[in-house]
Amino acid sequence: MTVVPFLDLKAQYRPIKTEVQKAVQKVLDECSFILGDEVAVFEREFAAYCGASQGVAVNSGTSALHLALLAAGVGPGDEVITVPFTFVATVAAILYTGARPVFVDIEPCSFTMDIRQLASAVTERTKAIIPVHLYGQAADMDPIMEFARRHGLKVIEDAAQAHGAEYKGRRVGSIGDFGCFSFYPGKNLGAYGEGGMVVTNNPDYARTMQMLRDWGQDRKYSHVLKGYNYRLEGLQGAILRVKLRHLEAWTEARRVHALRYNELLKDTAVQTPVEIDSRRHVYHVYAVRTPQRHTLHVQLHARGIQTGIHYPVPVHLQPAYSDLGYGKGEFPHSERAAREVLSLPMFAELTDEQIETVTTAVKEGLHV
Ligand SMILES: Cc1ncc(COP(=O)(O)O)c(C=O)c1O
């Protein structure tokens, strides 16, 4: 029995079905399956949406991070500073290059990088910083950029959850040297399969990444770099172009839902998300926090309300990354957030009635 789904992709598809089918048909008619015109136009449109001059479309957000790191010159022996409270891909991409991830904790109120810890994390081997705009809210970019410039580091924004998020009036992705996006189906802008993009204002970086995503070729069968097969499919480019036209309306709907949740959940036992001044939160995830997370999760589940936990274990405590040498207690804010956060249903098509069903269940579940 699902009363309120966590995400309803069918509800999103229904009103755009005709537009999507037309776009898909065009790609089928032209048999333009890999990269091609639709992808090239989408690169321009999405880069412009982010306020960047260049876009390089790839086959996932993970590939976007990997190529941005390579174009930034990161490799074996280097260190890259990021946070452990993120999806594992942020950290995995650093390891793909042979570099070492170095963690700093998050600030509990925004769930993003605590910039005060950068000074003790930087070494002569540090090459780059990856702030993560977690849940759809920008990290504190001004001090991160200032720190990076002072130490000669590149900044790669992990904007996989933050399409359209803003920091002091600027769209994320175009503030650092690189901005990496995921178009995984459930993201605020989602493909009908895998997809990702790096945006940048540097044409040289863009050129390097265009080659790296396509076997390092500068022209057919001329392999000037050791590359990858990270190309975006033509169908995804065409579908994403259609969906990009709706993104602002969907984002505004998410923001209205978040305000409604905040209103209905104020003075309850859960802490609602904080939108920091001058940052436009795009609510990819609407996460409340409570020390009674397990009870709340069970109670909501019993009433047919789907929830998520983003993320139950911070990366430094994941078994696969134990060789990084971090232990329990080293990043207390990340560890506490991992114990306390619960993501409530959030998608543009959510109705007021569904929101009320969820908030009533939260109150009853925690007896408040
Ligand atoms: C913060 C973050 N970084 C990176 C990724 C990786 O994106 P993808 O799943 O498209 O490879 C994701 C998406 O799942 C993410 O949420």
Side-chain angles (χ1 to χ4, degrees):
M1 163 203 69
T2 300
V3 175
V4 186
F6 183 65
L7 174 68
D8 189 350
L9 286 179
K10 288 180 186 163
Q12 188 194 59
Y13 176 58
R14 278 191 295 270
I16 60 170
K17 187 171 174 169
T18 319
E19 273 179 283
V20 169
Q21 287 183 339
K22 214 170 123 200
V24 166
Q25 193 58 54
K26 184 166 176 268
V27 176
L28 296 184
D29 288 339
E30 288 168 5
C31 294
S32 182
F33 297 124
I34 306 293
L35 297 174
D37 289 348
E38 289 295 316
V39 170
V41 178
F42 175 60
E43 288 177 328
R44 289 199 288 277
E45 290 172 347
F46 188 71
Y49 174 82
C50 297
S53 63
Q54 318 282 321
V56 180
V58 290
N59 61 350
S60 73
T62 309
S63 303
L65 287 163
H66 186 195
L67 293 195
L69 284 157
L70 292 176
V74 173
D78 295 332
E79 292 177 358
V80 177
I81 301 173
T82 192
V83 287
F85 194 58
T86 181
F87 183 60
V88 70
T90 318
V91 179
I94 297 169
L95 289 163
Y96 292 172
T97 68
R100 180 187 158 75
V102 172
F103 294 129
V104 295
D105 209 351
I106 54 164
E107 334 168 296
C109 129
S110 67
F111 299 105
T112 62
M113 182 174 272
D114 182 352
I115 47 129
R116 292 166 309 178
Q117 298 192 12
L118 289 172
S120 53
V122 75
T123 72
E124 71 279 6
R125 289 184 294 279
T126 311
K127 266 279 177 62
I129 306 177
I130 308 187
V132 181
H133 305 314
L134 201 77
Y135 299 159
Q137 177 153 250
D140 196 0
M141 289 305 292
D142 275 353
I144 292 172
M145 293 308 296
E146 197 269 322
F147 183 89
R149 294 299 172 245
R150 206 152 21 94
H151 291 85
L153 312 176
K154 300 290 179 226
V155 174
I156 299 168
E157 297 176 63
D158 184 338
Q161 305 188 0
H163 317 70
E166 290 172 17
Y167 178 86
K168 300 188 180 170
R170 297 169 67 191
R171 289 255 163 93
V172 301
S174 62
I175 304 168
D177 299 282
F178 304 84
C180 299
F181 292 86
S182 164
F183 303 125
Y184 185 77
K187 293 291 195 276
N188 287 22
L189 179 61
Y192 290 171
E194 304 274 0
M197 195 183 295
V198 189
V199 301
T200 177
N201 284 308
N202 182 321
D204 294 331
Y205 291 154
R207 182 71 194 123
T208 301
M209 293 186 290
Q210 278 159 1
M211 292 192 280
L212 286 172
R213 76 171 165 191
D214 191 16
W215 292 117
Q217 302 179 99
D218 60 351
R219 63 201 139 77
K220 208 167 169 70
Y221 303 132
S222 163
H223 303 275
V224 293
L225 297 172
K226 290 192 178 71
Y228 302 84
N229 178 354
Y230 281 174
R231 300 169 300 225
L232 185 69
E233 295 182 349
L235 284 170
Q236 304 308 339
I239 292 162
L240 285 162
R241 284 193 65 204
V242 170
K243 293 185 74 176
L244 180 58
R245 298 200 279 269
H246 299 273
L247 181 59
E248 275 305 285
W250 290 336
T251 301
E252 281 309 311
R254 284 175 181 271
R255 290 176 51 75
V256 169
H257 301 331
L259 286 180
R260 185 92 188 113
Y261 267 136
N262 290 349
E263 180 62 30
L264 293 170
L265 291 174
K266 73 168 190 267
D267 307 324
T268 68
V270 300
Q271 206 177 314
T272 55
V274 176
E275 181 172 51
I276 314 262
D277 265 358
S278 348
R279 299 190 211 174
R280 182 198 194 207
H281 198 319
V282 296
Y283 295 101
H284 172 58
V285 166
Y286 182 91
V288 295
R289 57 190 301 173
T290 166
Q292 296 164 271
R293 196 258 309 277
H294 179 69
T295 310
L296 184 59
H297 175 73
V298 170
Q299 294 287 337
L300 293 183
H301 184 77
R303 288 168 164 81
I305 296 165
Q306 292 180 344
T307 57
I309 298 176
H310 303 94
Y311 296 92
V313 180
V315 182
H316 70 288
L317 299 181
Q318 291 285 358
Y321 300 101
S322 58
D323 58 351
L324 293 175
Y326 292 109
K328 224 177 171 147
E330 279 191 72
F331 304 103
H333 292 303
S334 296
E335 292 169 35
R336 196 174 140 215
R339 286 193 301 272
E340 294 187 350
V341 289
L342 188 71
S343 312
L344 302 184
M346 174 53 85
F347 46 94
E349 300 74 17
L350 203 58
T351 63
D352 284 350
E353 200 190 338
Q354 286 174 315
I355 293 175
E356 271 164 46
T357 306
V358 176
T359 54
T360 305
V362 169
K363 290 177 202 165
E364 289 174 3
L366 292 180
H367 309 292
V368 283

